[in-house]
Amino acid sequence: MQIIDTGLYRFSLKSDVKHVSTVAKSLYSDSWDLDGPVDFSIRLVYESLLRRFIKPQISFYSDQHSPFKPLPISQAAAVLEWGMNWCIAAHEFERLLIHSAVLVKNGKAIIFPALPGSGKSTLTAHLGLSDWDIYSDEMAIIDTSTSMVNPLFRPVCLKNNSIDLIKAWHPEAYFSPICKDTQKGDVAHVKVLTWEQYQKFDKAQIVAVVFPKYVPESELKIYQLTQLDAFNTLSKNAFNYNVLGADGFDAVARVIKSCRLFEIEYSDLNEVNDFLSEDVIG
Amino acid sequence: MLDTKVLFQLLLSPRLGLTFTLLQWQKVIFIFRESKLLASLYHVALRDGCFDDYPEFAKRHLGSAQIYAKRQAQQILFEATEFRLQLEQVGITAVFLKGAGYTLRNSLNSHGRVCSDIDVLVNKKDLSVAEAHLKNNRWQSEVLSDYDEKYYRQWAHEVPPLIHINRATVVDMHHNLYPPISGRTTNISQFISSRLKTSSGCFVLEPATTVMHSIIHLFANEDSSSWIRDLFDITLLIKEYENDEFWQALIDLSKQTDFEFEFVCCMNALKLYSNIAIPDIAKSYLAHYKMTKTQAWLMKHAILPAICPEHDLLLTPKIRWAKKLVYFRGHWIKMPFNVLIKHFAFKSFFAIRDQIMGKHHFDPKLPENPNW
């Protein structure tokens, strides 16, 4: 059994697949404090005897139950990360969870809610490995009473071409082996933080919401969003919006009212970095 | 050492939690998450005034669970009202049972309780009109296998689950409290006529009838996975509503419905796990009730131990065996022998197949979801 500490949530992991333990070790080993209780006990197991040998499949279990169908063994490392996301999203109702990346500079946070294929993860990984603090690639975890966003100690999930791009730009970073042909295409995780860096992070005030959209060959285009449009998109991207009810509505409204709201089209990440650093964080 | 008794004691005297180590709390959180009791513990600890002294780790999980439960209670109030109004259009009164009923009457056990569907009871003569009217108004049933369809239509005490096409709410509409195939159908008009109107306008059963139904639902059921939660419901309901009249009514109901053995099991379970003082009237009834040897053995070795929450941290071989016996007994008393054999043959064929091939090998292929 190994412990995975993501800062806010602690997991104990048992894996039938040795490879997954190795990857988890590479991504999280600096946060392995064995003492203290864990929030979720998770397992990766072979579902049936026959399936260990013929077209092997792996199932993710959160304690006694498996929330997804089994997947081919080649995707096991990605299944672990998705499973951890599921645990958080299915049990955290004290904070608002928005499907979004979070980048922070000078204590000011920008959140990037976006659909798959928008280039969100590439943007997060590149900026995070440059001079931004990366609070999350997958979910903005927002305190409902203050609307401050919490940091999370997780890798960034890269898909398809962006794996090679980030590898070329940041050869020094650690990449997990590539999982081929998942539902999201090829997937690899890149470690963007050390535990030491993470522990220096504080909750941050959100100053902007930016909806990114990667458009090949495009110059950087910036659109101001209305509060109404931003509210609609942000609340649709919140995992637990329905459960939080009025508190969720108020939290989203507070973020929207206190933030600058943009939609950007881009192809060059350095242009995006300049815009965010100079014009948004300022 | 955590066991069923300690966990039940924690629910009844939440100050016990103040003595727990963090590792014990971790186990409690895992077990109660599985038994859907986290938010219930939140509320009993809050009422007791000891919640704030719990460790942060525990508070976080209990607090999160209670937010979910609170939202669900809101939804139940809304959905029950919608459902009531829908059936009133065709002059049919629905009585809300179990979880939805507890929430509607706002009894103490409803605070923090979560449920997966809404159970209602209607008169059998109204059933087909009610079902047809609902199906014309955005309620649907899933397409069932021929075997399952037959199970519901010929043997069961409910129609196949009704699902709202927009909100995905699930309603189980019953016409009896127990499957007619068992030959033990209760005189349901007596239950329905004992209804009370709650502040929402929705009807629930009177306290004694409610508890009798909870007893039947628990102790004549084959699935023991939520028994600890169900026994906690019964405990709190009794504490809230008991008086001499209540106990007399409960004993009378157990006789009228012919679920005396289940009532006796319940009293013994309460003696074993809870701190409820069984009144003399029930004690003298228990003293006069003659169990067969098989029944006495079954109660001691299967039914009482099977109240244990279904979690690997607690399931000893003895308890697993008890739960298997309960599973078999639950079917045994529900179905005539020839029907039972066929039922088990069907179910075990699929279970064995899934064990060899993996659970989802024969599932219909689902469309791929790119956002997952």
Side-chain angles (χ1 to χ4, degrees):
Chain A
M1 194 187 73
Q2 56 198 89
I3 299 287
I4 295 177
D5 194 334
T6 67
L8 294 178
Y9 312 97
R10 279 162 61 84
F11 298 80
S12 66
L13 168 68
K14 269 189 207 156
S15 174
D16 282 356
V17 194
K18 194 161 178 293
H19 156 78
V20 173
S21 307
T22 317
V23 172
K25 203 170 175 180
S26 315
L27 291 170
Y28 293 102
S29 62
D30 40 353
S31 77
W32 282 5
D33 182 357
L34 291 174
D35 289 338
V38 298
D39 301 291
F40 303 102
S41 149
I42 56 178
R43 289 175 293 146
L44 285 172
V45 293
Y46 292 109
E47 196 63 71
S48 79
L49 190 63
L50 196 62
R51 277 305 174 101
R52 192 177 282 235
F53 304 105
I54 302 167
K55 287 205 233 161
Q57 283 188 332
I58 197 81
S59 280
F60 173 88
Y61 274 81
S62 165
D63 204 6
Q64 311 281 292
H65 296 284
S66 177
F68 327 124
K69 293 190 174 187
L71 285 165
I73 186 102
S74 60
Q75 304 179 19
V79 169
L80 171 67
E81 289 292 329
W82 294 335
M84 287 164 65
N85 288 341
W86 179 86
C87 287
I88 299 171
H91 296 96
E92 175 62 273
F93 304 114
E94 290 199 307
R95 304 175 172 111
L96 179 69
L97 302 179
I98 295 175
H99 186 210
S100 156
V102 185
L103 290 168
V104 176
K105 207 176 212 179
N106 305 334
K108 295 175 185 171
I110 302 176
I111 65 172
F112 301 85
L115 291 173
S118 61
K120 167 178 65 93
S121 296
T122 322
L123 184 152
T124 321
H126 177 59
L127 268 55
L129 289 165
S130 307
D131 52 352
W132 289 72
D133 294 337
I134 172 159
Y135 273 36
S136 179
D137 161 47
E138 286 282 359
M139 46 177 96
I141 302 177
I142 299 170
D143 291 347
T144 46
S145 50
T146 60
S147 292
M148 304 276 272
V149 64
N150 292 273
L152 198 60
F153 183 66
R154 300 287 296 277
V156 170
C157 175
L158 294 171
K159 284 137 241 162
N160 302 319
N161 298 337
S162 64
I163 302 172
D164 289 333
L165 279 177
I166 297 293
K167 266 189 184 170
W169 294 336
H170 303 279
E172 74 290 350
Y174 169 79
F175 290 79
S176 70
I178 298 173
C179 298
K180 294 253 181 219
D181 305 322
T182 74
Q183 281 181 320
K184 297 181 177 186
D186 293 353
V187 166
H189 286 85
V190 55
K191 186 170 170 66
V192 288
L193 280 179
T194 63
W195 181 245
E196 210 185 336
Q197 286 173 309
Y198 170 80
Q199 285 190 304
K200 290 187 189 132
F201 293 173
D202 288 324
K203 292 177 194 234
Q205 196 72 51
I206 305 168
V207 298
V209 182
V210 177
F211 296 89
K213 194 171 164 195
Y214 173 75
V215 179
E217 314 288 324
S218 162
E219 292 203 350
L220 180 64
K221 290 186 190 138
I222 301 157
Y223 307 95
Q224 195 93 34
L225 279 181
T226 65
Q227 290 192 346
L228 187 62
D229 282 341
F231 186 97
N232 278 336
T233 320
L234 207 58
S235 54
K236 271 190 202 120
N237 275 289
F239 291 106
N240 54 7
Y241 186 69
N242 283 329
V243 177
L244 266 57
D247 288 340
F249 180 91
D250 291 340
V252 173
R254 204 176 307 112
V255 171
I256 293 293
K257 282 182 192 160
S258 64
C259 279
R260 297 170 71 192
L261 312 162
F262 303 103
E263 186 176 312
I264 58 171
E265 285 179 16
Y266 69 94
S267 63
D268 183 345
L269 283 174
N270 293 322
E271 280 179 14
V272 176
N273 194 358
D274 290 345
F275 164 66
L276 297 176
S277 303
E278 288 159 26
D279 299 331
V280 180
I281 298 289
Chain B
M1 247 295 280
L2 285 179
D3 58 19
T4 316
K5 276 187 190 173
V6 173
L7 291 166
F8 214 85
Q9 208 193 333
L10 174 65
L11 289 167
L12 294 171
S13 327
R15 280 184 188 273
L16 181 63
L18 299 174
T19 64
F20 286 180
T21 64
L22 284 178
L23 201 63
Q24 278 173 316
W25 267 115
Q26 176 190 309
K27 290 178 181 167
V28 170
I29 299 295
F30 286 0
I31 294 164
F32 278 3
R33 189 189 276 153
E34 178 64 30
S35 311
K36 300 193 169 64
L37 281 167
L38 286 176
S40 298
L41 178 58
Y42 169 89
H43 281 281
V44 295
L46 202 67
R47 282 203 292 273
D48 185 273
C50 64
F51 180 78
D52 287 338
D53 298 327
Y54 278 177
E56 281 306 314
F57 172 77
K59 278 200 263 189
R60 210 150 44 82
H61 287 287
L62 303 182
S64 188
Q66 74 86 18
I67 292 173
Y68 184 86
K70 186 174 79 180
R71 176 72 178 136
Q72 210 194 35
Q74 261 181 357
Q75 285 170 323
I76 287 173
L77 285 173
F78 173 82
E79 294 292 343
T81 304
E82 289 283 300
F83 196 85
R84 169 179 72 89
L85 294 172
Q86 194 84 69
L87 285 191
E88 276 180 5
Q89 290 173 1
V90 282
I92 294 171
T93 305
V95 178
F96 291 83
L97 305 172
K98 292 194 275 183
Y102 305 147
T103 301
L104 289 165
R105 67 166 6 117
N106 194 25
S107 50
L108 286 178
N109 69 319
S110 75
H111 301 166
R113 196 184 188 281
V114 288
C115 51
S116 51
D117 48 25
I118 294 177
D119 293 287
V120 301
L121 181 66
V122 300
N123 274 311
K124 188 162 188 190
K125 65 174 176 52
D126 295 332
L127 194 66
S128 52
V129 174
E131 192 180 357
H133 182 65
L134 290 164
K135 286 188 171 170
N136 280 330
N137 287 282
R138 301 185 175 217
W139 292 86
Q140 263 181 354
S141 302
E142 269 177 36
V143 181
L144 296 173
S145 69
D146 290 349
Y147 181 78
D148 285 345
E149 185 75 30
K150 187 176 156 187
Y151 174 89
Y152 276 108
R153 296 299 172 188
Q154 292 192 0
W155 301 336
H157 53 315
E158 59 193 319
V159 300
L162 293 156
I163 304 162
H164 193 275
I165 58 171
N166 300 117
R167 302 191 301 272
T169 317
V170 181
V171 171
D172 280 339
M173 193 159 60
H174 303 249
H175 57 83
N176 208 308
L177 302 180
Y178 199 67
I181 182 98
S182 67
R184 288 170 91 184
T185 43
T186 34
N187 177 7
I188 209 64
S189 58
Q190 181 194 352
F191 268 75
I192 292 191
S193 64
S194 85
R195 66 195 180 207
L196 293 175
K197 197 173 190 172
T198 63
S199 58
S200 64
C202 297
F203 284 96
V204 296
L205 298 173
E206 276 176 357
T209 333
T210 301
V211 171
M212 192 62 225
H213 178 229
S214 304
I215 291 173
I216 297 173
H217 183 71
L218 196 167
F219 290 96
N221 197 347
E222 72 281 359
D223 175 9
S224 60
S225 61
S226 62
W227 277 15
I228 185 166
R229 199 260 317 253
D230 296 347
L231 187 65
F232 184 57
D233 278 333
I234 293 172
T235 309
L236 288 194
L237 285 168
I238 291 178
K239 281 185 180 225
E240 190 170 353
Y241 295 108
E242 71 171 341
N243 54 33
D244 292 348
E245 208 178 308
F246 168 91
W247 279 105
Q248 188 59 57
L250 193 57
I251 290 169
D252 292 347
L253 275 165
S254 81
K255 291 178 190 162
Q256 285 159 13
T257 56
D258 192 20
F259 281 95
E260 284 179 275
F261 175 63
E262 282 72 13
F263 174 76
V264 171
C265 286
C266 181
M267 292 304 114
N268 280 285
L270 292 175
K271 271 199 246 171
L272 182 63
Y273 295 114
S274 86
N275 54 2
I276 284 197
I278 311 281
D280 290 342
I281 169 177
K283 272 189 194 154
S284 78
Y285 170 80
L286 290 179
H288 288 97
Y289 182 78
K290 289 274 172 288
M291 263 193 265
T292 64
K293 270 190 183 159
T294 321
Q295 282 179 325
W297 186 89
L298 205 62
M299 184 176 83
K300 186 169 174 216
H301 297 282
I303 293 172
L304 295 180
I307 290 168
C308 179
E310 221 156 276
H311 196 287
D312 286 343
L313 287 167
L314 300 170
L315 292 176
T316 61
K318 260 190 184 166
I319 294 174
R320 283 180 203 275
W321 180 236
K323 283 182 176 279
K324 283 207 179 88
L325 279 174
V326 157
Y327 179 78
F328 193 73
R329 172 200 173 245
H331 280 96
W332 179 264
I333 58 173
K334 212 177 260 183
M335 299 177 184
F337 187 68
N338 60 335
V339 176
L340 182 65
I341 293 301
K342 270 191 249 168
H343 184 72
F344 272 127
F346 255 97
K347 295 289 172 191
S348 57
F349 167 73
F350 289 114
I352 293 168
R353 185 196 69 180
D354 290 347
Q355 235 168 31
I356 298 172
M357 296 306 294
K359 208 181 269 167
H360 302 287
H361 188 78
F362 292 97
D363 284 1
K365 198 158 171 64
L366 292 173
E368 286 194 6
N369 176 3
N371 288 335
W372 175 66

